[in-house]
Amino acid sequence: MPSLCVIGLCCVRCGLRQAQDFTGYTCPDCGDEGILDVEYDYGRARQQLSADLLAREMRRDIWRYGALLPASPPEPWPGLPVGDTPLFRAARLGTYLGLDHLLVKHDGLLPTGSLKDRASAVAIAQALERGKDIVAGASTGNAASSLAGLAAAAGLRAVIFVPESAPAPKLAQLRTYGALVVAVRGTYDEAFDLCLAATRRFGWYSRNTAYNPVLSEGKKTVAFEVCEGLRWRPPDWIAVSVGDGCILGGVGKGLRDLKELGLISRLPRLLGVQAEGSAAIYNAFLDGARTAEPVRPDTLADSISVGQPRDARKALAAIRDTCGQMIAVSDEAIIEGGHLLGGLAGVFAEPAASTALAGVLAARHEGEIRPGDTVVVLVTGNGLKDPQTTALSTSEPLSVPPDEGALDTVLSALASG
Ligand SMILES: *Cc1c(COP(=O)(O)O)cnc(C)c1O
């Protein structure tokens, strides 16, 4: 078990530092605005995480990068293994996009079907370290089902706040995992605030995006896996869909960590992609701002339907640090992106995940991404999470009676039509 290399936590708003044993969530001076960033002793981490040591490491889950994570996993790790998702070339999809090197990192294949498992795994480890029995979180759906699934496996009780409008499959997942589900008759943002108030009152462990600083640390492991999978030759671009901005900020943090350790020599550029109807971070990027103004969210991609992004500062910093770009795409483009991932790569992605691909398509049209660039698209969630929306405007099945003659008639009509 690698020793912890955390040296403290730093407020992204005012820079105030907390000691490594701080058990609060946000900066005492700035309150909920004062999201913390975990800081590491990179000199120490370097001794535990070299390319050689990693090549010999048998552990495949995210804890292979334990020296750069803010909690230690209990031994043995209880339940669901998180990490080690496939990174593969999508040649046909690349050809369609005019890209020679397009890769997909498929986090829809994590145990509960979304990238959120990376964050929940670290949260569960920390909750266990702190002796908590109850973990709580608010979510558009994926963070909730992720926390509930991992909590079930680890024997913790999960209390989940979701907007009542969350897609039915996500709610079904939560209920099956045995979580206590509070369906809030309001938006995600309102569910979030209610959950924060309840966790404070009852002393539950809080898995609230951004508010809890270890979540973006878990999410950064996807950047570690991408770079290790490419044998430490980083891609030119990593495309990430953006709601609260926690994944984007986490990926940026992971890349900076790797550069500090000397495992990569340059940073890939991040392409942050938002839905036009929920584009608070994109708007801030255009304005050159360091934080985002709330919007009224309106998009079919429920996982990124966020009015008040909680991790805008880290997300915007990640774009700045990597000379990245932000782009906003329409719901039509998001649905089309899902059909392209499905039809040309065999990847079934929920709308919030196909948003990243829609962004790559737009960035190709604008000439921002060039044909020879190596591009990694993060598929953040599985299409089974919201199959109805994912399959919008696909063609209807052919309806036939169980009869060969009738099938012939229908097929010939299709061939001639
Ligand atoms: C949560 C989520 C996102 C966005 O992540 P943020 O950290 O909120 O920006 C994107 N895609 C999927 C599938 C998600 O569940």
Side-chain angles (χ1 to χ4, degrees), residues 10-186:
C10 179
C11 174
V12 297
R13 184 161 178 266
C14 74
L16 183 70
R17 288 205 154 72
Q18 303 301 322
Q20 160 265 328
D21 57 357
F22 179 72
T23 54
Y25 293 99
T26 54
C27 172
D29 279 10
C30 300
D32 293 355
E33 278 277 292
I35 305 298
L36 299 177
D37 181 42
V38 182
E39 298 185 318
Y40 297 87
D41 177 345
Y42 288 116
R44 224 168 129 196
R46 198 170 296 136
Q47 325 221 297
Q48 300 175 20
L49 269 190
S50 66
D52 282 351
L53 288 173
L54 276 168
R56 271 181 273 141
E57 173 63 60
M58 300 297 284
R59 193 158 193 159
R60 300 307 313 170
D61 63 9
I62 61 166
W63 301 106
R64 70 192 270 102
Y65 310 107
L68 286 173
L69 290 173
S72 301
E75 286 295 347
W77 173 249
L80 298 173
V82 174
D84 197 22
T85 55
L87 172 70
F88 53 92
R89 256 186 101 159
R92 287 187 68 212
L93 184 54
T95 303
Y96 179 87
L97 294 173
L99 285 170
D100 300 335
H101 308 287
L102 177 71
L103 294 106
V104 169
K105 176 71 173 166
H106 197 345
D107 265 19
L109 298 179
L110 283 169
T112 78
S114 83
L115 185 145
K116 299 292 194 292
D117 284 349
R118 297 180 182 275
S120 297
V122 178
I124 292 285
Q126 190 170 68
L128 290 169
E129 269 178 3
R130 293 186 181 173
K132 299 279 188 179
D133 307 317
I134 301 181
V135 292
S139 164
T140 58
N142 282 338
S145 37
S146 169
L147 183 65
L150 269 72
L156 297 175
R157 185 100 180 99
V159 184
I160 302 296
F161 294 72
V162 284
E164 210 177 33
S165 59
K170 293 184 182 180
L171 291 171
Q173 213 183 350
L174 280 174
R175 291 161 57 187
T176 308
Y177 290 141
L180 176 64
V181 183
V182 183
V184 179
R185 292 195 297 274

Side-chain angles (χ1 to χ4, degrees), residues 253-313:
K253 173 73 174 289
L255 295 172
R256 285 198 305 279
D257 282 354
L258 295 179
K259 185 122 187 298
E260 289 287 346
L261 260 55
L263 284 166
I264 58 174
S265 55
R266 64 175 177 83
L267 298 179
R269 301 176 71 184
L270 293 180
L271 180 71
V273 191
Q274 289 211 283
E276 276 171 6
S278 175
I281 297 182
Y282 168 75
N283 295 340
F285 170 77
L286 290 189
D287 292 344
R290 276 169 197 262
T291 182
E293 294 297 323
V295 296
R296 177 186 283 272
D298 177 21
T299 170
L300 286 172
D302 75 291
S303 303
I304 51 171
S305 183
V306 174
Q308 187 191 339
R310 309 282 169 163
D311 232 350
R313 281 176 197 276

Side-chain angles (χ1 to χ4, degrees), residues 116 142 219 241-247 303-304 350 352 380-381:
K116 299 292 194 292
N142 282 338
K219 289 174 182 175
S241 58
V242 181
D244 274 313
C246 185
I247 298 179
S303 303
I304 51 171
E350 70 166 282
T380 45

Side-chain angles (χ1 to χ4, degrees), residues 213-225:
V214 307
L215 302 173
S216 54
E217 300 299 305
K219 289 174 182 175
K220 77 186 179 183
T221 59
V222 73
F224 296 168
E225 288 183 11

